[in-house]
Amino acid sequence: MNKSYTRIFSSLRKEDIAEVGGKGANLGELTDAGFPVPPGFVITAQAYKDFFTALGLKNELEQLSKAQGDKLEQYCAPIREAITSTPLPLLPAQAILAAYEQLLEERGAELLCAVRSSATTEDLQDASFAGQHGTYYYVDRTNLQRMIRLCWASLWNAEAVSYRLARGIEHTEAQMAVVVQEMIRADVAGITFTVNPVSGAEEIVTESSWGMGAAIVDGRVTPDRYILDRNTLQLRERRIACKRFMVSSSLQAGATSRLEEIPQTRQQEETLPPELLCLVANWAVRAEEHFASPQDLEWAIADGRFYLLQSRPITAMGGKKRPKDPAGQYVLFKPYAENMTDALTPMMMSLFSRGVHPFICFLEGRAYLDLKFLLPLLPFSLSGQDVAALFYDLRLDSKLTLAHLSWKKLLYYLPGLFVGYLSWGVFLARSRNVPDDFMEHFRDVCKKIESAPSYGPEETLRRLWIISGLLDPLGTYPLMVNVAAASGALLPPLLTALLQRWWPDAPADAIPLLCSGQQGVLSAEMGREIKVLAKEAARFPAVKNIFLQSAIDEVLTDLNHCPEAECFLQLFNAFLAKHGHRAVRELELQSPRWEENPGQLITMIRNYLLAETRPGGAGKKQEGQHDVKREVKRAELMTQVREKLALLPLERFFQPRQRFFNVLVTRARYLIKLRENSRFYHIMGLYFVRKKLLSLENEFIAQGSLKCKDDIFFLHLDEVRRMQQGELHWADVEQRLRRRRLEHTRFSRKKLRKTVGIQLPESSCSPGFSRGGNMVLQGQSASPGACEGIARVILDPGVNGELQPGEILVAPYTDPAWTPLFLTAGAAVVEVGSYLSHAGTVAREYGLPCVVDVAECTKRIQSGDRLYVDGDQGIVQILGEQQAGKTNSTS
């Protein structure tokens, strides 16, 4: 009888899948084939079947078979409760303990085990159940039987039940074996796919992080990502992530969570050096060859030794079957994509949905314009392709002409436009000419709301982002100011058109030059202030040595013990008091701010100091001299404009064109600066919403309603409210948190789509063309000028923002946290952006060429490639391929 309840790995083969499940059968195959599989045994499906039958849950199963949707959970809960609260019968309990004692005798007294589900319907070619069934670590004799029952109970999670219903699998057919395996105390762990699961490409994809692999499987950490050529194992792409958390291989006494924060010194450290990456890839290839199908592997490395924890077939292959898009037509909301290309968290989407019009919807974690709401508001007869072309300059016939005008719509549109102007007129008039610091009072409003307990996250967002009192000071509504300033986007094209008409031979950089070079642009000033901090640190050898030699998370501690650092620390603290609410991906509430984690700021200062010590560092452009030269050039250009206009009719006496042109230039400069500066403050408002959420999260963790930091960002606002009222607890949200984290990770990996439900011509999607044997990537000009240099692809300045002087910055997007890189860059190439985006605005202020909306530039350009950036024409030419051994990276 004991043999039917437990089986050791070495006795298992693929034919035993009905008895030990897909995972157990695969581990047996791998063990027999000589793979480095940690030893263990399987508790067979027969043990589960006998146990479940004895529970007598016939009525509960009948009720469950009739339940659907939200009611699944209330019928699943009693079944799980019966399983977890009932002790194992004597015979299976004896068999399990005997198998455990045998494993203990072989491996030693300090053995800890991992207990994993192995359902007989999972890990098959047509059904995965990945992430829906239980896995438990740190298991010993005292809690072994309880963890086995928890694995069995996970068969009755609402997610697993729903998946079975969708697959047509009867509940009575669902049986579960349980794998008990020696737990490897991993230094590094990860997953590897022998075929790209997203694109279906023949390449090996590996993701890794510190500690146990559960942090990756649960979506708790953004792992390092490596892509290798399937045939040669040459590295194609490397993305080193900022890994904030890990599941430690040893559970600390009294710990309420297995998740630990990683020291800052290791967060940005690469987990797989080349030799270990090659080791992982070779074992992955061997597993695919053994099973004769693409494999999804989980593995661990301890003391430099590789262990294969499981291997299963990849059941969902990219390019073969894609989830169906929702009905309708959608265009990516560009202001969102210009500031962040990653998927938004559920909390961020929940908050945004409170404050935006219904024409904004969220698909795959990104914000899109729903054209069914937008098109009726426009007085033109436009197709979805037309709207996409207008937003993204897709080289279609995107010019609006009288032929597009809908006279019927116009009859309704003009009165609506007049009413809209009246409703906004006072606001627009109030923001027409205000001083640079008029929004500084908003900081006091934020602090006042922070200290008011009556303001929750939603109330804080409404007060700081949405108008609540028309008579309140204008500076307390920076988001509305930002929206009003967006009208400035119309002025540069208008100025360009006028200048081309009046002065056909005008320089290509005339309008960008005339509209830039202003004092008081906060994001540009921030970059200069960081450089001042670096210069102050360089004044004293002791301070400079701390920056260059101490670990990032120890720099401030060491500076506080250094007498020579007093002046620097005063400047540093003043900088944080002003700019501490900023962050990389600052539009996302989950992103830690500089005030909370100044490590990013320390890294920027260190990179400046390192740049000074490198050859060529002393030859960097002097911003002060550059600003003077640009002002002289701007004055000369304005004189030329006046001279050209003076030749036109009536201009010599009345100067109508000159007056009109001057008004437009002055207005454009004002609105461009106002838009960038108002962003500084409305991001500040988001930071105080984040503070409210973190305060609630600390309360929930103390109560046991949540277990880990950042969990609250994967809930919705109504769920947080219900947790405050005691209606939801950890058991209610655990599975949805796991599912949403994994979904968020999957969405962030997916290619950003500019349109959904709109079929664009293939020619409009082409990212480039060939010229003289070199690839030329097409984009849009955001800042004029030309530059030739070496490319540096940076995906996250918070991970590694090192840019050597004169290198060309290639980025997916930029926000103010990227600003310091513009001070040393020779040019900028950005995947998503516009003339008024952060990249364009700051590039013009610093006087460097910038091309935006360059499709897939972070993939098509490799670090080390030689580029020619033409900011006048909006093109990027790849002159030479990368040096051998280099690859795209966050470095």
Side-chain angles (χ1 to χ4, degrees):
M1 179 65 71
N2 287 359
K3 290 183 179 180
S4 66
Y5 287 145
T6 61
R7 298 278 300 275
I8 60 173
F9 289 170
S10 58
S11 70
L12 301 176
R13 298 296 180 271
K14 60 183 178 181
E15 295 81 11
D16 299 317
I17 191 169
E19 184 180 2
V20 297
K23 194 172 296 169
N26 283 356
L27 288 171
E29 287 278 329
L30 293 167
T31 300
D32 181 64
F35 284 80
V37 176
F41 61 94
V42 179
I43 299 155
T44 65
Q46 184 66 45
Y48 167 81
K49 184 177 181 180
D50 291 351
F51 176 74
F52 191 79
T53 301
L55 293 177
L57 299 174
K58 182 179 179 180
N59 291 335
E60 285 80 356
L61 288 177
E62 289 179 355
Q63 291 179 328
L64 181 62
S65 63
K66 302 175 185 177
Q68 292 182 353
D70 296 338
K71 293 191 175 181
L72 274 178
E73 174 58 26
Q74 72 181 73
Y75 292 107
C76 288
I79 299 176
R80 292 199 306 271
E81 174 63 23
I83 293 173
T84 56
S85 62
T86 304
L88 268 63
L90 180 61
L91 288 179
Q94 289 178 338
I96 291 167
L97 289 176
Y100 177 80
E101 292 296 337
Q102 182 179 347
L103 182 61
L104 186 65
E105 184 177 338
E106 295 174 359
R107 305 304 296 172
E110 296 184 358
L111 175 74
L112 286 177
C113 291
V115 174
R116 309 172 188 270
S117 64
S118 182
T120 56
T121 50
E122 80 177 331
D123 295 344
L124 308 180
Q125 288 293 345
D126 60 347
S128 170
F129 286 90
Q132 295 176 10
H133 297 148
T135 295
Y136 302 94
Y137 297 98
Y138 319 107
V139 179
D140 57 18
R141 181 189 177 97
T142 61
N143 59 355
L144 176 60
Q145 293 187 42
R146 176 172 173 269
M147 296 307 173
I148 292 169
R149 295 198 304 272
L150 286 174
C151 271
W152 286 343
S154 69
L155 196 62
W156 301 98
N157 288 328
E159 289 79 5
V161 170
S162 178
Y163 188 85
R164 288 200 296 271
L165 290 172
R167 290 279 178 164
I169 301 173
E170 294 291 337
H171 296 316
T172 54
E173 295 177 9
Q175 307 291 329
M176 180 177 283
V178 176
V179 172
V180 179
Q181 186 178 35
E182 179 184 0
M183 190 189 86
I184 300 302
R185 299 179 182 271
D187 303 315
V188 179
I191 56 177
T192 295
F193 300 92
T194 59
V195 172
N196 192 315
V198 176
S199 67
E202 292 289 327
E203 54 192 16
I204 297 174
V205 180
T206 292
E207 296 184 338
S208 58
S209 190
W210 302 119
M212 309 285 285
I216 299 177
V217 175
D218 290 348
R220 300 265 178 197
V221 67
T222 300
D224 294 346
R225 184 174 175 86
Y226 304 86
I227 298 180
L228 285 74
D229 182 271
R230 174 62 178 78
N231 298 316
T232 65
L233 300 188
Q234 290 295 311
L235 186 62
R236 289 182 176 175
E237 183 177 315
R238 176 182 62 222
R239 300 193 178 196
I240 308 305
C242 183
K243 303 166 287 292
R244 297 179 56 211
F245 300 105
M246 64 181 286
V247 174
S248 175
S249 59
S250 58
L251 191 62
Q252 302 297 322
T256 58
S257 169
R258 63 183 183 179
L259 209 64
E260 296 181 6
E261 287 197 57
I262 298 175
Q264 289 187 19
T265 50
R266 302 193 71 198
Q267 288 182 10
Q268 301 168 12
E269 187 179 332
E270 184 175 10
T271 51
L272 286 180
E275 63 275 9
L276 289 181
L277 181 62
C278 184
L279 178 66
V280 171
N282 276 300
W283 280 113
V285 170
R286 286 185 58 180
E288 179 182 89
E289 292 172 347
H290 176 80
F291 289 109
S293 68
Q295 294 293 296
D296 167 6
L297 299 87
E298 290 186 28
W299 49 266
I301 294 175
D303 298 324
R305 184 177 176 184
F306 177 85
Y307 296 89
L308 183 56
L309 306 181
Q310 63 171 292
S311 183
R312 59 192 176 204
I314 300 177
T315 56
M317 195 77 69
K320 292 185 178 181
K321 190 173 183 180
R322 181 176 183 162
K324 189 176 180 180
D325 288 329
Q329 293 184 318
Y330 307 88
V331 176
L332 185 67
F333 187 48
K334 199 169 187 181
Y336 149 76
E338 288 173 356
N339 295 290
M340 194 179 80
T341 56
D342 290 347
L344 294 168
T345 57
M347 176 57 70
M348 196 69 235
M349 289 187 286
S350 179
L351 283 168
F352 267 170
S353 65
R354 259 62 171 186
V356 298
H357 190 274
F359 63 70
I360 297 289
C361 64
F362 297 97
L363 304 175
E364 298 179 344
R366 275 90 176 201
Y368 284 81
L369 289 168
D370 189 342
L371 297 192
K372 73 180 179 184
F373 291 104
L374 180 65
L375 288 178
L377 299 178
L378 301 177
F380 300 97
S381 297
L382 299 173
S383 67
Q385 285 189 3
D386 294 331
V387 175
L390 288 168
F391 268 84
Y392 289 99
D393 189 22
L394 295 179
R395 313 289 183 257
L396 305 176
D397 183 15
S398 57
K399 295 182 179 179
L400 292 178
T401 66
L402 287 177
H404 290 99
L405 193 62
S406 171
W407 298 101
K408 183 178 179 181
K409 282 187 177 182
L410 192 61
L411 294 175
Y412 299 98
Y413 185 79
L414 290 178
L417 185 64
F418 180 70
V419 172
Y421 177 77
L422 290 179
S423 62
W424 270 86
V426 175
F427 192 87
L428 292 172
R430 292 172 67 193
S431 62
R432 185 168 295 157
N433 188 21
V434 291
D436 288 348
D437 63 349
F438 82 100
M439 286 181 284
E440 184 59 25
H441 175 61
F442 184 68
R443 194 186 299 270
D444 297 329
V445 175
C446 291
K447 292 180 179 178
K448 183 177 180 180
I449 290 177
E450 180 187 15
S451 61
S454 60
Y455 279 90
E458 186 173 2
E459 293 78 14
T460 300
L461 181 81
R462 186 181 299 115
R463 176 60 187 85
L464 298 181
W465 265 42
I466 305 171
I467 291 180
S468 59
L470 292 177
L471 299 180
D472 287 351
L474 179 69
T476 60
Y477 302 112
L479 183 61
M480 298 299 106
V481 174
N482 187 268
V483 173
S487 61
L490 303 174
L491 297 181
L494 176 59
L495 283 164
T496 300
L498 291 175
L499 197 59
Q500 287 176 349
R501 180 180 180 85
W502 296 332
W503 182 15
D505 298 327
D509 64 347
I511 298 305
L513 182 61
L514 292 174
C515 293
S516 63
Q518 307 177 77
Q519 297 297 318
V521 178
L522 290 174
S523 54
E525 295 297 326
M526 181 188 72
R528 296 186 179 103
E529 289 174 30
I530 293 176
K531 190 160 189 178
V532 169
L533 287 173
K535 289 181 178 179
E536 176 64 27
R539 282 205 311 130
F540 298 97
V543 177
K544 183 176 181 179
N545 287 338
I546 289 174
F547 270 97
L548 298 180
Q549 298 176 11
S550 296
I552 291 295
D553 55 350
E554 297 174 358
V555 167
L556 285 181
T557 301
D558 293 344
L559 288 175
N560 281 311
H561 292 90
C562 176
E564 295 178 359
E566 182 178 355
C567 290
F568 172 83
L569 288 173
Q570 288 178 358
L571 286 175
F572 186 83
N573 291 330
F575 180 93
L576 283 180
K578 180 179 179 181
H579 301 284
H581 61 282
R582 313 226 72 158
V584 178
R585 292 184 292 274
E586 60 189 9
L587 204 60
E588 171 56 64
L589 284 170
Q590 188 190 19
S591 298
R593 310 291 148 156
W594 289 346
E595 185 176 77
E596 302 168 327
N597 178 15
Q600 293 178 2
L601 186 55
I602 296 293
T603 300
M604 294 176 194
I605 297 171
R606 171 182 281 184
N607 287 338
Y608 277 131
L609 296 173
L610 288 171
E612 293 287 348
T613 64
R614 295 192 185 94
K620 293 179 293 180
K621 60 188 178 187
Q622 299 297 317
E623 285 77 28
Q625 297 177 12
H626 177 82
D627 290 344
V628 172
K629 291 179 180 178
R630 191 168 51 171
E631 284 298 326
V632 171
K633 186 177 179 181
R634 184 180 296 108
E636 292 174 348
L637 179 61
M638 204 64 191
T639 300
Q640 287 180 286
V641 171
R642 283 196 297 268
E643 291 173 351
K644 294 293 181 179
L645 295 183
L647 302 175
L648 299 176
L650 302 178
E651 194 65 28
R652 185 176 298 276
F653 299 102
F654 302 106
Q655 298 181 334
R657 299 174 185 84
Q658 179 67 50
R659 294 174 186 274
F660 185 52
F661 190 81
N662 286 345
V663 168
L664 291 182
V665 168
T666 301
R667 192 64 183 159
R669 286 165 60 86
Y670 171 78
L671 290 176
I672 288 171
K673 179 168 71 172
L674 184 63
R675 188 169 188 264
E676 189 69 16
N677 286 357
S678 60
R679 174 195 167 93
F680 175 92
Y681 290 99
H682 75 67
I683 292 298
M684 182 187 295
L686 274 187
Y687 177 36
F688 282 85
V689 176
R690 172 178 164 82
K691 285 186 173 185
K692 291 288 185 179
L693 286 168
L694 292 179
S695 177
L696 282 177
E697 183 179 67
N698 290 334
E699 293 179 16
F700 293 155
I701 290 176
Q703 298 166 2
S705 301
L706 292 178
K707 298 293 185 182
C708 301
K709 291 183 177 180
D710 282 1
D711 273 349
I712 199 166
F713 299 109
F714 293 87
L715 295 173
H716 297 149
L717 267 179
D718 59 329
E719 292 169 334
V720 170
R721 191 179 303 109
R722 292 177 64 191
M723 292 187 78
Q724 286 182 281
Q725 296 169 354
E727 297 176 9
L728 289 179
H729 303 280
W730 175 246
D732 304 305
V733 301
E734 180 181 11
Q735 289 302 318
R736 69 184 73 174
L737 286 172
R738 176 188 175 92
R739 183 182 69 252
R740 289 172 186 170
R741 282 182 176 274
L742 292 171
E743 188 176 67
H744 178 261
T745 300
R746 179 165 57 86
F747 287 160
S748 294
R749 290 174 184 155
K750 295 188 73 171
K751 179 181 176 182
L752 190 68
R753 293 193 285 169
K754 292 182 177 178
T755 63
V756 175
I758 300 174
Q759 187 65 37
L760 297 173
E762 291 186 9
S763 60
S764 71
C765 303
S766 176
F769 56 91
S770 181
R771 175 190 292 174
N774 295 323
M775 172 61 70
V776 178
L777 305 181
Q778 184 72 53
Q780 298 182 45
S781 173
S783 182
C787 176
E788 182 176 329
I790 300 299
R792 175 70 65 177
V793 180
I794 296 180
L795 305 175
D796 185 343
V799 174
N800 193 335
E802 187 175 334
L803 188 75
Q804 296 192 32
E807 287 186 327
I808 295 173
L809 170 65
V810 182
Y813 69 96
T814 71
D815 59 26
W818 296 70
T819 301
L821 297 176
F822 284 73
L823 286 170
T824 52
V829 179
V830 183
E831 200 160 296
V832 181
S834 67
Y835 185 86
L836 288 186
S837 66
H838 169 268
T841 301
V842 174
R844 290 191 300 275
E845 293 304 314
Y846 289 162
L848 66 146
C850 179
V851 180
V852 299
D853 262 359
V854 184
E856 300 183 356
C857 65
T858 57
K859 292 185 177 180
R860 290 180 169 266
I861 298 172
Q862 304 285 309
S863 290
D865 287 352
R866 177 162 286 277
L867 305 180
Y868 177 75
V869 179
D870 188 335
D872 298 331
Q873 299 185 52
I875 60 174
V876 180
Q877 188 170 359
I878 304 176
L879 301 177
E881 296 298 325
Q882 62 174 339
Q883 300 173 13
K886 289 190 177 181
T887 187
N888 270 8
S889 172
T890 51
S891 59

